[in-house]
Amino acid sequence: MSSSGSWLSQGTILHADLDAFFASVEQRDDPALRGRPVIVGGGIAMAASYEAKACGVRAAMPERIWRPLCPDAIVVPARLSAYSQASKDVFAVLRDVTPVVEPLSIDEAFLDVSGLRRSYACPREVAERIRAQVRTQVGLPISVGVARTKFLAKIASAHCKPDGLLVVPADEAGFLHPLPIERLWGVGKVTAEKLRSRGVRTVGQLAALDERTLTQALGPAAGRHLHAVANLRDPRPVHTGHRRRSIGSQSAFGARPRGEADIDDILTRLVDRVTHRLRDAELRARTVTVRLRWADFSRATRSRTLAGATDSTAPILGAARSLMYDVWPQAVDRGLTLVGVTLSGLDPRGSEQLLLPLDDVRRDQTRAELEQAVDGVRQRFGTTALTRARMLDQDVGTQTPVLPVSES
């Protein structure tokens, strides 16, 4: 084993990110798809293999855009259970290496490997083991960035994709500052346009601006955040076991016209799903948020805070429907392509305050017993084993799998 100098010269935070996750699972399970352009989802590209990305295909593209770019693409239906299982298998590998794992999504996580000095020569060696074990045990490629901070580690993993490993050098500014501003985590299209209109194109140029200028241009929160990370300040540790702040699910579908009944079916199934997960985690929610995406890629968000925290489907569905009420005409006319439902303001079950009138207590108990029975059936036989009668044989889009609440 080498001296401790290797540990001193390298950061101890890793960002592990699976490559083209959904498409890679499909290529793993079907050898005929390997090396070929694969699109998961169809009407709306839920994911694309790197062969399809090379043609310009990106996630969330409708078929009318991706089809001319990649006419030879092979379209496969989404298999949510396969992706969820692959995610669990990968996280098992990560936690076998170190218990200090912070999941970010179904396919990426931060790790703190500072406690492994006695077992490995350097952080790079830890990253190499992770990549090898994910490949051999799960059969998937994974890119890993190694750095002193979470922010740099995430940039490094994106920089070395696909199927790569990058250790940020000791000259962090030399690595970060030449990069375009779009590489920064948190700089989207709108923010990038604002910065470029001021002549800011690289992270180094951004770092040279004073914080006040950035907060005036981008707002206090975004301005302070980008000023800090551009100047290599990111003190955030890797957290494990912290309480989840929200539970959500979304459904993407093609841009073909959908009536109010179709959209309400999609909304209802999403609420069924998130409230099941809410009860499974023994949590209650106070705020309901509905997220929408239109055919022109514009987005809208609506939120409502309930009178009290609940884990019951009926009041949450009622709130979600009321949020949709004002946008029904737009949903039909503009071509809705995605609906998402997120529950936040989470509290542990048992912490809620009873509300008057108390005459409804028995009715609420009956409803809770029914929901528990439905949850039990779905838990044992799958989420599609029991559904609402009106949703039989209905196309409700492609739902995106997410991390179980207990793993966040």
Side-chain angles (χ1 to χ4, degrees), residues 289-305:
T289 300
V290 172
R291 293 176 292 109
L292 311 169
R293 186 183 68 211
W294 314 106
D296 61 2
F297 295 101
S298 61
R299 297 173 181 269
T301 303
R302 302 286 188 273
S303 296
R304 173 161 299 173
T305 299

Side-chain angles (χ1 to χ4, degrees), residues 263-384:
I263 297 171
D264 187 65
D265 286 346
I266 294 168
L267 185 70
T268 301
R269 179 161 293 189
L270 290 173
V271 171
D272 278 343
R273 188 181 188 202
V274 295
T275 52
H276 167 69
R277 295 179 60 228
L278 191 70
R279 291 187 292 269
D280 189 53
E282 298 187 350
L283 295 171
R284 293 175 184 261
R286 294 179 178 275
T287 301
V288 181
T289 300
V290 172
R291 293 176 292 109
L292 311 169
R293 186 183 68 211
W294 314 106
D296 61 2
F297 295 101
S298 61
R299 297 173 181 269
T301 303
R302 302 286 188 273
S303 296
R304 173 161 299 173
T305 299
L306 305 174
T310 182
D311 63 1
S312 182
T313 300
I316 291 173
L317 179 58
R321 282 174 168 162
S322 68
L323 291 170
M324 285 292 300
Y325 180 79
D326 292 336
V327 298
W328 280 129
Q330 297 180 59
V332 175
D333 297 339
R334 294 177 60 186
L336 194 65
T337 61
L338 180 144
V339 176
V341 175
T342 301
L343 307 181
S344 56
L346 305 183
D347 293 322
R349 182 183 296 167
S351 62
E352 69 278 5
Q353 179 178 345
L354 295 178
L355 300 176
L356 294 174
L358 298 179
D359 296 341
D360 295 331
V361 169
R362 179 57 192 162
R363 182 196 63 190
D364 292 343
Q365 289 176 341
T366 301
R367 185 166 58 195
E369 291 169 357
L370 175 60
E371 290 171 344
Q372 289 174 4
V374 171
D375 289 345
V377 172
R378 289 174 173 167
Q379 191 75 35
R380 183 173 180 181
F381 299 105
T383 56
T384 59

Side-chain angles (χ1 to χ4, degrees), residues 20-269:
F21 178 42
F22 298 167
S24 292
V25 172
E26 297 300 336
Q27 291 177 319
R28 178 197 67 180
D29 295 346
D30 185 354
L33 299 177
R34 295 171 190 172
R36 305 181 68 181
V38 175
I39 292 178
V40 178
I44 296 291
M46 186 175 178
S49 68
Y50 275 94
E51 294 83 2
K53 288 181 178 183
C55 298
V57 180
R58 296 293 180 268
M61 272 189 178
E63 186 172 4
R64 60 183 173 80
I65 295 178
W66 67 251
R67 180 65 74 179
L69 296 174
C70 194
D72 297 328
I74 302 171
V75 179
V76 297
R79 297 183 300 136
L80 305 190
S81 60
Y83 311 146
S84 295
Q85 185 59 53
S87 175
K88 292 177 183 177
D89 294 341
V90 170
F91 275 92
V93 171
L94 300 182
R95 292 190 173 98
D96 184 57
V97 174
T98 174
V100 190
V101 178
E102 178 184 341
L104 291 181
S105 67
I106 194 171
D107 60 351
E108 61 177 322
F110 286 117
L111 301 86
D112 185 336
V113 300
S114 58
L116 302 181
R117 284 180 170 85
R118 294 181 179 273
S119 304
Y120 295 88
C122 59
R124 171 185 283 275
E125 188 176 285
V126 182
E128 289 171 345
R129 177 186 170 186
I130 288 171
R131 284 173 28 80
Q133 290 195 344
V134 170
R135 173 69 76 175
T136 57
Q137 295 181 24
V138 191
L140 295 174
I142 190 167
S143 296
V144 180
V146 182
R148 180 180 56 84
T149 67
K150 293 167 76 170
F151 196 84
L152 282 173
K154 186 171 175 67
I155 290 177
S157 68
H159 197 69
C160 67
K161 280 183 171 290
D163 197 16
L165 191 166
L166 176 62
V167 178
V168 174
D171 180 13
E172 295 175 338
F175 164 74
L176 180 64
H177 285 176
L179 299 178
I181 52 176
E182 288 84 357
R183 289 290 186 89
L184 289 181
W185 190 15
V187 175
K189 181 178 179 181
V190 174
T191 300
E193 289 176 352
K194 288 181 180 179
L195 292 172
R196 287 184 173 274
S197 69
R198 291 168 169 79
V200 179
R201 290 174 170 77
T202 68
V203 179
Q205 292 172 328
L206 179 64
L209 296 177
D210 62 81
E211 185 175 310
R212 183 177 180 182
T213 300
L214 278 176
T215 56
Q216 289 176 342
L218 306 176
R224 287 193 295 267
H225 167 70
L226 291 179
H227 185 267
V229 296
N231 286 280
L232 303 169
R233 299 195 305 272
D234 180 17
R236 297 171 301 158
V238 175
H239 289 291
T240 60
H242 61 286
R243 192 178 74 175
R244 193 177 183 93
R245 291 180 293 179
S246 65
I247 294 175
S249 184
Q250 64 184 28
S251 183
F253 38 89
R256 71 171 177 80
R258 290 178 180 266
E260 292 185 11
D262 287 343
I263 297 171
D264 187 65
D265 286 346
I266 294 168
L267 185 70
T268 301
R269 179 161 293 189

